[in-house]
Amino acid sequence: MSLLEDLKWRYATKKMNGTPVAQEKVDYILEAARLAPTSSGLHPYRVIEISNRELKAKIQPIAYGQSQIVDSSHILIFAAYDSYTKERVEAPFAQQAKERGLPSGFADDYKNNLYTQLSALSQEQQFNHAARQAYIGFGLAVAAAAEQKIDATPMEGFNNQQLDALLELDKLGLKSVTILALGYRDEANDWLVNLKKVRPSHEDFIIKFN
C-alpha cells in the first residue's frame, strides 16, 4: 500500500483496545524517527519508549485523563534538548568524522559559527528550535505507524512540566514536546473511527508561484 493510502487509513485514534503491539513494529516506528533529518544534523531530541502499565497510569492524569495513555500498548515521548551546549553541538560532528573517516576538524568553521548562532538565542528559543526538530521525527513516526497498520494518537494535551518532573527529564537535559500513543483501535467504542477524514482542499492548501 502506498504512503498516501496509509495516511488516508490512519486517524487520531480516540479509543484503543489494549492489544499489545509487537516490539519489532515499535522498533520500526522508532527507527523512522531516528532516521529523520534535522537542522545541521544535530538531532537535538530523544524518544522515550514506555510500555510499563504502572508508569502509564501515573502519566494518565498528567495527560488530562486521556484513555489512550493506559489503553495503548506503548507511548513514545518526544523530548528535546532544553538548550544547546558546546558539547551538544560538537558531538554530531565528532560522530560524523569518526564514522565517515574524516579529519576531526573537517567542519570546525561551520560548527563554530553554528554554536555562535545558537548560543546567542535565549534558552527558550534554543528549546523551541530543538522542539521543531523533534516534530520532524514525530511526523515520520506517525507515518511509519500507519505503514505498519498500527493506530497512533498524537498528543499535545498534557502538562509538560509535570511529565518532565515525573520522568526526571531535567537530569537528561531534556523537556517533553509531544506524545505518540501506539496501539489498536477499539472500533466499537471510538466515535471517530468511521467518520470521514477532513482536510483542506488541494486548491486551498497549495499556494503556487509559477
Side-chain angles (χ1 to χ4, degrees):
M1 188 176 289
S2 72
L3 175 60
L4 293 183
E5 290 302 312
D6 293 335
L7 294 177
K8 290 175 183 177
W9 171 84
R10 71 152 303 276
Y11 73 108
T13 309
K14 301 303 180 185
K15 186 67 177 175
M16 295 184 175
N17 63 18
T19 301
V21 174
Q23 187 61 45
E24 59 264 27
K25 291 184 177 292
V26 177
D27 292 342
Y28 183 94
I29 294 165
L30 289 166
E31 184 68 356
R34 189 184 73 87
L35 293 173
T38 59
S39 177
S40 298
L42 292 174
H43 291 274
Y45 67 95
R46 297 293 182 264
V47 184
I48 301 159
E49 173 192 346
I50 298 175
S51 58
N52 180 275
R53 292 183 179 182
E54 289 76 15
L55 183 53
K56 288 193 295 180
K58 292 179 180 179
I59 293 173
Q60 186 181 24
I62 294 173
Y64 308 121
Q66 294 179 83
S67 65
Q68 301 97 315
I69 295 291
V70 292
D71 293 337
S72 65
S73 172
H74 294 67
I75 60 172
L76 306 181
I77 300 171
F78 287 71
Y81 287 169
D82 54 11
S83 63
Y84 285 107
T85 63
K86 191 172 183 63
E87 181 182 23
R88 287 173 171 175
V89 173
E90 289 181 344
F93 293 96
Q95 182 183 7
Q96 290 176 43
K98 179 180 179 180
E99 295 191 16
R100 293 174 174 171
L102 299 171
S104 60
F106 78 100
D108 278 354
D109 288 344
Y110 181 85
K111 176 184 64 180
N112 293 335
N113 287 334
L114 179 62
Y115 177 68
T116 297
Q117 293 174 18
L118 291 172
S119 61
L121 301 175
S122 69
Q123 187 166 345
E124 181 179 5
Q125 289 173 323
Q126 292 178 41
F127 167 70
N128 288 337
H129 180 274
R132 289 195 295 271
Q133 313 315 307
Y135 271 105
I136 300 173
F138 182 76
L140 285 177
V142 170
E147 183 188 32
Q148 295 295 304
K149 290 296 177 285
I150 303 302
D151 286 301
T153 307
M155 295 181 169
E156 289 184 314
F158 62 95
N159 186 306
N160 300 69
Q161 292 182 343
Q162 290 181 13
L163 183 60
D164 295 353
L166 174 66
L167 301 178
E168 298 184 328
L169 295 187
D170 60 312
K171 294 181 179 179
L172 301 174
L174 298 170
K175 295 170 67 175
S176 59
V177 176
T178 188
I179 296 174
L180 188 64
L182 302 175
Y184 294 98
R185 63 189 68 176
D186 181 354
E187 295 193 12
N189 295 296
D190 192 337
W191 61 269
L192 189 57
V193 65
N194 292 317
L195 295 184
K196 179 182 178 181
K197 183 183 287 290
V198 178
R199 295 292 188 271
S201 70
H202 181 88
E203 293 75 18
D204 287 340
F205 185 69
I206 306 300
I207 300 171
K208 294 185 177 182
F209 289 83
N210 294 324

